[in-house]
């Protein structure tokens, strides 16, 4: 399949490489040309996004609403094939892209770069059935499993925002609990073993708990800055739908405090050290 790929950040690089390894023909573009150097000889490098519009499927993996707005909605671009947006964006951006392109699919992903490299992402997809069918070769190359949640693309973005929001209270509450047992003289690795050997034996608790015990916050696979973006997306969606998210307001405040101290580049699991700072009485 001929695929256009826009956005070669941490996730995008691994996803594009995976698609090339699956024998798809790629045209890649990134705002910063330096990110395209690793694709020389493996894919065609586009100087501008418009050079990727003739592909069967054009994948967007851009950083945020602003980047998507600049690339797609500002110049009112359209592709001859399907526009498959796999980035995390707001409901409003999803609606704008749906109006612009008949064959538009939202398919945000769950998973970090190592999962993308192995083709083990979880994908939440929504859009017209015919467009979803045309995306199947992409999904087969990138996904461990695909969940189709509706025919309106914004439905996939609602699910992504809600699910990502659930991770934020996990991190917040684990940080508080680790602080409590730590101040009580219990080793945090012992506490983590108890958590993950009983009713909280879930990957979120295991993975984020390990990062907290080890203090492994750099290099980040999902930074505090990105975590704040996702919490703000959940809050924006909640305001639109009239759903209160009081815990999201608290977590947003903590993330902003941590970022203001210069640690926005750290993994958002580092939020734990701001809830109960080391050495506090």
């Amino acid at each position: 399949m001929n695929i256009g790929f826009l956005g070669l950040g941490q996730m995008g690089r691994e996803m594009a490489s995976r698609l090339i390894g699956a024998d798809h023909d790629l045209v890649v573009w990134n705002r910063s040309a330096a990110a395209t150097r690793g694709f020389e000889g493996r894919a065609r490098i586009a100087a501008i996004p418009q050079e990727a519009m003739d592909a069967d499927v054009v994948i967007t993996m851009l950083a945020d609403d602003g980047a998507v707005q600049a690339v797609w909605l500002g110049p009112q671009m359209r592709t001859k094939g399907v526009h498959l947006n796999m980035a995390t964006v707001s409901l409003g951006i999803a609606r704008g892209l749906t109006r612009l392109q008949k064959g538009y699919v939202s398919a945000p992903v769950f998973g970090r770069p190592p999962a993308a490299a192995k083709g083990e992402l979880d994908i939440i997809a929504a859009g017209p059935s015919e467009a979803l069918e045309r995306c199947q070769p992409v999904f087969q190359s990138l996904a461990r499993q695909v969940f189709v949640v509706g025919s309106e693309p914004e439905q996939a973005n609602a699910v992504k925002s809600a699910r990502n929001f659930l991770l934020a209270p996990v991190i917040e509450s684990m940080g508080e609990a680790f602080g409590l047992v730590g101040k009580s003289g219990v080793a945090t690795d012992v506490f983590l073993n108890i958590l993950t050997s009983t009713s909280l034996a879930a990957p979120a608790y295991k993975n984020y708990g390990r990062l907290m015990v080890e203090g492994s916050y750099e290099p980040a696979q999902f930074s505090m800055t990105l975590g704040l973006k996702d919490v703000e997306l959940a809050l924006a969606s909640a305001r639109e739908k009239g759903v209160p998210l009081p815990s999201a307001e608290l977590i947003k405040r903590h993330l902003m405090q941590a970022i203001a101290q210069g640690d926005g580049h750290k993994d958002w699991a580092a939020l734990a050290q701001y809830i109960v700072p080391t050495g506090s009485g």
Side-chain angles (χ1 to χ4, degrees):
M1 173 179 278
N2 293 316
I3 297 172
F5 202 104
L6 309 181
L8 299 172
Q10 278 188 303
M11 285 293 290
R13 285 195 298 271
E14 299 295 353
M15 292 167 68
S17 292
R18 177 76 185 179
L19 290 167
I20 292 169
D23 294 328
H24 296 292
D25 295 322
L26 264 65
V27 180
V28 299
W29 174 85
N30 194 69
R31 182 171 55 182
S32 170
T36 65
R37 290 175 190 148
F39 291 89
E40 292 173 357
R42 301 195 296 148
R44 184 160 67 87
I45 311 298
I48 55 175
Q50 285 85 344
E51 293 179 8
M53 292 300 105
D54 287 336
D56 300 319
V57 174
V58 178
I59 298 173
T60 297
M61 198 62 188
L62 299 168
D64 52 29
D65 277 16
V68 174
Q69 177 86 27
V71 171
W72 283 97
L73 296 177
Q76 295 282 295
M77 287 207 304
R78 290 177 176 81
T79 174
K80 293 181 179 179
V82 172
H83 177 194
L84 173 60
N85 187 6
M86 306 188 78
T88 301
V89 298
S90 67
L91 304 187
I93 287 290
R95 283 194 289 270
L97 290 168
T98 300
R99 289 191 294 268
L100 181 66
Q101 175 98 22
K102 182 179 179 181
Y104 174 70
V105 171
S106 279
V109 304
F110 297 138
R112 294 190 170 201
K118 296 176 183 177
E120 296 178 354
L121 295 172
D122 297 319
I123 294 177
I124 308 299
S129 57
E130 186 175 315
L132 284 167
E133 184 60 33
R134 293 182 67 182
C135 293
Q136 287 306 311
V138 173
F139 295 156
Q140 289 166 10
S141 298
L142 296 176
R144 177 178 62 175
Q145 50 190 345
V146 179
F147 301 91
V148 176
V149 297
S151 59
E152 294 298 325
E154 70 177 84
Q155 293 172 302
N157 300 104
V159 171
K160 176 64 189 284
S161 291
R163 189 271 195 182
N164 269 20
F165 162 67
L166 280 176
L167 288 177
V170 167
I171 294 170
E172 172 84 19
S173 61
M174 285 187 76
E176 294 174 8
F178 273 49
L180 174 60
V181 299
K183 295 297 180 181
S184 302
V186 178
T188 52
D189 59 338
V190 171
F191 179 60
L192 177 61
N193 182 55
I194 293 168
L195 289 183
T196 56
S197 297
T198 54
S199 60
L200 297 179
Y205 287 93
K206 291 178 180 178
N207 296 336
Y208 284 110
R210 177 181 51 78
L211 292 177
M212 291 176 190
V213 168
E214 296 175 356
S216 299
Y217 304 133
E218 297 180 69
Q221 293 189 44
F222 193 81
S223 69
M224 286 196 186
T225 302
L226 289 175
L228 177 61
K229 182 199 82 169
D230 279 3
V231 171
E232 289 179 328
L233 281 176
L235 283 166
S237 299
R239 284 192 294 270
E240 181 179 318
K241 302 300 181 184
V243 178
L245 294 181
S247 60
E249 297 285 1
L250 171 66
I251 295 164
K252 175 184 175 180
R253 193 159 61 246
H254 286 167
L255 284 166
M256 290 179 70
Q257 290 168 354
I259 291 168
Q261 293 183 42
D263 289 320
H265 65 286
K266 290 183 179 179
D267 198 283
W268 71 329
L271 185 62
Q273 69 187 11
Y274 293 92
I275 297 167
V276 184
T278 301
S280 64

